[in-house]
Amino acid sequence: MKREKTHIIPPAERASPDLSSGKYLVMWQGPQHPGITGNMSLRLVAEGDTVVDCETHVGYLHRGFEKLMERRLWMQNFPLVCRIAVPEPDFNEYCYAAAIEELAGIQIPEKAVWLRTLSLEMMRLASFLMWIGGQAGAFGHGTIIQWSVTMRDYVLDLFEELTGGRIYHMYIIPGGVRSDVPKGFLRHVLEVLNVVEKNLDDIELVMFHNAIFKLRAEGLGYIPKEWIDQYGITGPNARAAGVARDLRKDWGYLAYPKLDFEIILGTKSDAYERSRLRLLEMYQCINLLRQIIDAMPKEGSFKEKLPNPLHWKIPAGETYVAAECTRGEYGFYVVSDGSDKPRRVTVRGPSYTHAVSVMERLARGTNIADIAGLMVSLHTYPPEIER
Amino acid sequence: MNTTASALAERYGARNWHDQRPDLASVVLDPSRLRDALAWLRDFGGYKHLSFATAIDNIERNAFTLTYTLRNHEKGHSLIVHCDIDRGHPVMESIHLLWEQAWTYQREMREWFGIDFPGSPRVDEEFVLEGWEGPPMMRRDFDSLEYSNAIYAERPGRETRDPASYMKEKLYPEVAG
């Protein structure tokens, strides 16, 4: 028997549009749309140009990663995990590798700790550079994305030099990292950071002092502070509401406890504030990368010697390892039954709540033209929902 | 045993508290006490943040193990709460009134494992598997290869290999040999 459809939004607050009245327009934004962050779609019900109801639909990029991982050896899953989040695959590599290491009792060398931190911060910068182009583009500002994608390409060049791959790196593996830094690499990183920093100054002037961007982004998608725990909001979306949460500080993983940085906070919690906060975090990221290059050991092993990975059997147990990615808490829950394959792996991506529950709530009352800007301001990425 | 563990044990019959790391522990609850225990953890234990919820198919003992991971940001501690339900009659009380995003996890578990959460918003709607008519795909007894072979036509000219043996042959010939 088909049950009656129920909704999360309380009946008193939820619009109940009579679609046969002719007053409303039902429209789909996505799955292929310039204002959609990846392959997802929004079913919008609009009255005039105001959205009165929104439903997020995902699944267009479901690849069954979690099922596949149960059928493959622990090591064979590395080409899978990095593909769960294209803009920042390294966080997947780190969480999965760290979970295996924890269950197997593997300690990694000090140099590998710093190289992992370097890789994650480079990834953060590349991901933010892609985001800022999308954020500006969602409000009709096409120049920024040309600049920021160029800057991102410089960072991807660095990844190519370090790992051999531009998008998917498979650099972080159990026991450490796959290789040491090539000769001259750290100098190249510093050169690129100088160029990116100069470009960020330009972006700050052109985008954040632009009257149209300010008019459209200020007040858009306000997230009250009390929603942060109710909805499980993390990352810059929480910090823009003044909630000081950053796993780099809270969990103190890798080399972050040895780095000098403060959690950047906002107060206004709207699309403009979230964007401004991410810009500041990009500057912070550049600063962290310079600190890492200064402080990392120049000598030493980058990888613990481990037995043949095709024969690994990870001791039975479970763990949850999380890292602060650009969008918030990114985690891997891993269960081993003592065999040569994972028993269960589940991925906790921040978009799970940001793109579904939070987006559906914030979209109501928003102008159709601002939906794309709202979504990008939440920095969502659907494949980490679908896995 | 810490105060949270003893309070959970005393109030809700929690058992098997296990400290995985200084900042991560797990505990087991009965399904009938789970919702109340999660509400207590949220309101009085400081575990206000629901990181995620998922299920594990323990087919060997005919159970689904539901897994709720909570975070106490003030103490910097995460708690994994487990709860076994009967695999033959997989129904669990919904927690969508405790956390606003919980309904999405429940909708996923409904689609992927066939676990029902009566009253959970949009729980019967398709989540990621549009038009799916097969059994819940994350169950251990669902063989994805067998399903694909039965449903989808083979594309001519395509070579298929077992990934494990192919990797051994190409990358580690000394092991394959």
Side-chain angles (χ1 to χ4, degrees):
Chain A
M1 192 177 78
K2 186 94 176 149
R3 289 182 297 204
E4 191 180 345
K5 184 170 169 176
T6 52
H7 292 274
I8 182 67
I9 297 167
E13 294 183 40
R14 187 182 171 85
S16 301
D18 176 10
L19 297 181
S20 63
S21 67
K23 282 173 61 181
Y24 301 100
L25 174 71
V26 178
M27 59 185 292
W28 288 79
Q29 186 157 314
Q32 296 294 346
H33 184 281
I36 293 289
T37 56
N39 303 72
M40 63 184 279
S41 60
L42 300 174
R43 180 186 180 274
L44 304 170
V45 179
E47 182 179 11
D49 57 3
T50 302
V51 173
V52 295
D53 198 18
C54 170
E55 282 183 3
T56 301
H57 288 257
V58 295
Y60 302 98
L61 210 56
H62 170 67
R63 289 160 284 179
F65 285 128
E66 293 184 3
K67 183 75 176 176
L68 290 169
M69 288 165 78
E70 294 177 6
R71 304 289 178 95
R72 281 161 171 74
L73 301 176
W74 290 92
M75 193 61 170
Q76 285 179 318
N77 285 323
F78 274 89
L80 293 181
V81 296
C82 58
R83 284 167 167 81
I84 296 172
V86 183
E88 40 194 282
D90 297 48
F91 290 94
N92 292 272
E93 295 174 14
Y94 165 67
C95 291
Y96 183 60
I100 291 175
E101 286 156 2
E102 184 183 319
L103 291 172
I106 299 167
Q107 295 291 324
I108 66 169
E110 178 69 6
K111 188 164 190 183
V113 169
W114 285 90
L115 287 171
R116 285 182 175 187
T117 317
L118 177 79
S119 162
L120 293 184
E121 286 306 310
M122 280 168 51
M123 198 71 262
R124 186 184 314 280
L125 185 58
S127 179
F128 271 145
L129 284 166
M130 195 157 96
W131 160 81
I132 202 164
Q135 183 67 83
F139 290 119
H141 205 325
T143 308
I144 302 291
I145 194 165
Q146 297 181 39
W147 294 352
S148 67
V149 166
T150 305
M151 294 302 116
R152 175 174 175 263
D153 253 34
Y154 292 151
V155 182
L156 298 187
D157 287 344
L158 294 173
F159 271 112
E160 189 173 1
E161 189 178 346
L162 178 65
T163 70
R166 294 177 69 78
I167 304 295
Y168 303 123
H169 311 126
M170 285 165 268
Y171 179 63
I172 299 173
I173 56 172
V177 294
R178 202 153 44 79
S179 61
D180 204 344
V181 290
K183 195 176 176 185
F185 174 76
L186 296 178
R187 182 171 50 81
H188 295 164
V189 176
L190 291 172
E191 287 167 2
V192 168
L193 293 182
N194 290 339
V195 175
V196 173
E197 191 173 41
K198 169 74 176 61
N199 194 258
L200 287 182
D201 293 344
D202 292 342
I203 289 174
E204 203 267 337
L205 277 174
V206 174
M207 180 173 167
F208 288 85
H209 296 277
N210 181 299
I212 295 173
F213 178 67
K214 287 187 86 166
L215 273 172
R216 293 186 65 181
E218 281 183 344
L220 175 66
Y222 171 70
I223 297 178
K225 205 170 184 176
E226 57 269 22
W227 283 19
I228 303 304
D229 285 325
Q230 282 176 15
Y231 281 86
I233 297 168
T234 55
N237 292 340
R239 293 194 283 274
V243 177
R245 283 182 193 160
D246 187 324
L247 293 181
R248 292 174 294 180
K249 283 282 187 191
D250 300 345
W251 284 35
Y253 57 98
L254 292 178
Y256 290 109
K258 296 171 186 169
L259 299 175
D260 181 21
F261 69 106
E262 297 296 327
I263 298 176
I264 299 171
L265 293 176
T267 52
K268 295 179 183 169
S269 199
D270 56 13
Y272 186 87
E273 188 83 330
R274 290 192 285 274
S275 303
R276 190 192 63 82
L277 188 135
R278 288 191 185 99
L279 178 78
L280 295 176
E281 291 199 355
M282 290 163 84
Y283 282 112
Q284 183 185 58
C285 189
I286 291 172
N287 180 273
L288 287 174
L289 281 165
R290 287 175 176 148
Q291 287 187 48
I292 292 164
I293 290 171
D294 274 348
M296 69 186 292
K298 303 296 180 280
E299 304 295 329
S301 169
F302 57 86
K303 185 176 175 296
E304 189 68 19
K305 191 166 173 53
L306 298 176
N308 187 328
L310 299 181
H311 293 190
W312 282 354
K313 287 189 177 175
I314 304 299
E318 65 171 349
T319 189
Y320 175 61
V321 175
E324 184 76 22
C325 76
T326 55
R327 300 177 304 287
E329 178 185 345
Y330 202 99
F332 267 58
Y333 171 67
V334 177
V335 181
S336 173
D337 56 9
S339 72
D340 57 357
K341 302 179 184 73
R343 174 71 191 217
R344 178 88 176 94
V345 178
T346 196
V347 181
R348 193 273 182 207
S351 301
Y352 206 100
T353 180
H354 297 166
V356 185
S357 304
V358 178
M359 181 65 201
E360 291 184 1
R361 186 75 185 258
L362 290 177
R364 289 180 302 125
T366 300
N367 190 294
I368 292 175
D370 289 335
I371 287 291
L374 169 63
M375 172 175 274
V376 184
S377 82
L378 296 171
H379 201 184
T380 61
Y381 189 64
E384 70 193 23
I385 305 170
E386 305 158 357
R387 288 103 73 198
Chain B
M1 188 181 277
N2 63 44
T3 51
T4 304
S6 51
L8 275 178
E10 189 181 323
R11 288 167 180 269
Y12 304 104
R15 58 193 183 277
N16 299 347
W17 180 281
H18 169 67
D19 288 308
Q20 172 69 18
R21 295 193 304 256
D23 63 350
L24 177 70
S26 63
V27 71
V28 178
L29 282 156
D30 287 332
S32 59
R33 316 290 293 275
L34 181 93
R35 191 189 172 285
D36 290 345
L38 291 180
W40 182 85
L41 282 166
R42 184 194 67 171
D43 296 336
F44 300 102
Y47 292 87
K48 295 177 182 171
H49 172 70
L50 173 68
S51 286
F52 67 91
T54 190
I56 307 162
D57 184 1
N58 285 309
I59 190 169
E60 300 85 352
R61 48 189 174 89
N62 196 35
F64 286 119
T65 302
L66 302 184
T67 300
Y68 303 83
T69 299
L70 314 178
R71 176 91 179 149
N72 181 331
H73 284 284
E74 279 66 41
K75 288 186 179 172
H77 190 265
S78 289
L79 180 62
I80 300 173
V81 179
H82 288 305
C83 161
D84 274 7
I85 59 169
D86 180 12
R87 196 173 182 276
H89 182 60
V91 180
M92 185 60 200
E93 199 173 356
S94 172
I95 59 160
H96 70 275
L97 294 177
L98 296 180
W99 286 281
E100 299 277 359
Q101 84 277 29
W103 64 275
T104 321
Y105 292 108
Q106 293 176 162
R107 188 172 153 202
E108 177 187 297
M109 283 190 267
R110 169 78 168 155
E111 182 179 79
W112 291 14
F113 291 91
I115 301 167
D116 195 11
F117 296 88
S120 185
R122 295 163 58 186
V123 73
D124 292 326
E125 288 182 27
E126 291 165 335
F127 185 50
V128 302
L129 302 174
E130 189 177 3
W132 179 258
E133 291 177 352
M137 61 119 181
M138 284 303 289
R139 290 191 175 198
R140 295 288 290 185
D141 52 359
F142 170 63
D143 188 328
S144 50
L145 180 60
E146 185 184 331
Y147 180 82
S148 298
N149 288 338
I151 300 292
Y152 304 111
E154 189 66 33
R155 198 170 68 195
R158 186 179 179 190
E159 290 181 38
T160 57
R161 302 183 184 91
D162 170 52
S165 57
Y166 183 74
M167 194 170 168
K168 278 183 186 174
E169 286 165 16
K170 290 292 176 187
L171 297 178
Y172 304 96
E174 69 283 2
V175 179

Tab-separated table of all heavy atoms in Angstrom, chain A residues 7 57 78 97 152 157 194 242 282:
chain	number	residue	atom	x	y	z
A	7	HIS	N	6.588	15.239	4.636
A	7	HIS	CA	7.704	16.144	4.357
A	7	HIS	C	8.398	16.548	5.642
A	7	HIS	O	7.807	16.548	6.719
A	7	HIS	CB	7.196	17.398	3.639
A	7	HIS	CG	6.707	17.124	2.260
A	7	HIS	ND1	7.527	17.097	1.162
A	7	HIS	CD2	5.465	16.822	1.813
A	7	HIS	CE1	6.813	16.812	0.087
A	7	HIS	NE2	5.561	16.647	0.453
A	57	HIS	N	17.198	16.470	-6.257
A	57	HIS	CA	17.238	15.121	-6.824
A	57	HIS	C	18.675	14.777	-7.192
A	57	HIS	O	19.305	15.494	-7.962
A	57	HIS	CB	16.342	15.028	-8.062
A	57	HIS	CG	14.886	15.065	-7.718
A	57	HIS	ND1	14.083	13.948	-7.716
A	57	HIS	CD2	14.091	16.084	-7.307
A	57	HIS	CE1	12.857	14.277	-7.345
A	57	HIS	NE2	12.838	15.575	-7.088
A	78	PHE	N	41.943	2.270	-3.930
A	78	PHE	CA	42.455	3.633	-4.071
A	78	PHE	C	42.056	4.318	-5.374
A	78	PHE	O	41.720	5.505	-5.374
A	78	PHE	CB	43.970	3.682	-3.843
A	78	PHE	CG	44.281	3.824	-2.392
A	78	PHE	CD1	44.427	2.719	-1.598
A	78	PHE	CD2	44.324	5.071	-1.802
A	78	PHE	CE1	44.638	2.833	-0.242
A	78	PHE	CE2	44.534	5.208	-0.447
A	78	PHE	CZ	44.694	4.084	0.336
A	97	ALA	N	43.189	5.963	3.719
A	97	ALA	CA	44.510	5.468	4.123
A	97	ALA	C	44.674	5.525	5.642
A	97	ALA	O	45.169	4.574	6.264
A	97	ALA	CB	45.609	6.285	3.445
A	152	ARG	N	43.972	27.701	-10.906
A	152	ARG	CA	43.820	26.290	-10.500
A	152	ARG	C	44.697	25.399	-11.370
A	152	ARG	O	45.294	24.434	-10.871
A	152	ARG	CB	42.351	25.880	-10.624
A	152	ARG	CG	42.099	24.401	-10.337
A	152	ARG	CD	40.623	24.094	-10.336
A	152	ARG	NE	40.376	22.672	-10.169
A	152	ARG	CZ	40.144	21.817	-11.161
A	152	ARG	NH1	40.115	22.258	-12.406
A	152	ARG	NH2	39.924	20.552	-10.920
A	157	ASP	N	49.255	21.833	-12.250
A	157	ASP	CA	50.604	21.573	-12.778
A	157	ASP	C	51.527	21.053	-11.667
A	157	ASP	O	52.344	20.152	-11.890
A	157	ASP	CB	51.210	22.861	-13.350
A	157	ASP	CG	50.560	23.269	-14.668
A	157	ASP	OD1	49.872	22.431	-15.276
A	157	ASP	OD2	50.740	24.443	-15.077
A	194	ASN	N	52.836	32.817	-5.022
A	194	ASN	CA	52.948	34.265	-5.221
A	194	ASN	C	52.003	34.741	-6.317
A	194	ASN	O	51.348	35.783	-6.196
A	194	ASN	CB	54.393	34.637	-5.581
A	194	ASN	CG	55.333	34.454	-4.397
A	194	ASN	OD1	54.892	34.434	-3.253
A	194	ASN	ND2	56.619	34.292	-4.675
A	242	GLY	N	29.423	32.100	12.549
A	242	GLY	CA	30.099	32.407	13.811
A	242	GLY	C	30.379	31.193	14.668
A	242	GLY	O	30.715	31.330	15.848
A	282	MET	N	41.323	31.086	1.557
A	282	MET	CA	42.289	30.860	0.472
A	282	MET	C	43.617	31.541	0.808
A	282	MET	O	44.691	30.975	0.608
A	282	MET	CB	41.728	31.384	-0.858
A	282	MET	CG	40.575	30.539	-1.373
A	282	MET	SD	39.589	31.379	-2.624
A	282	MET	CE	40.542	31.030	-4.065
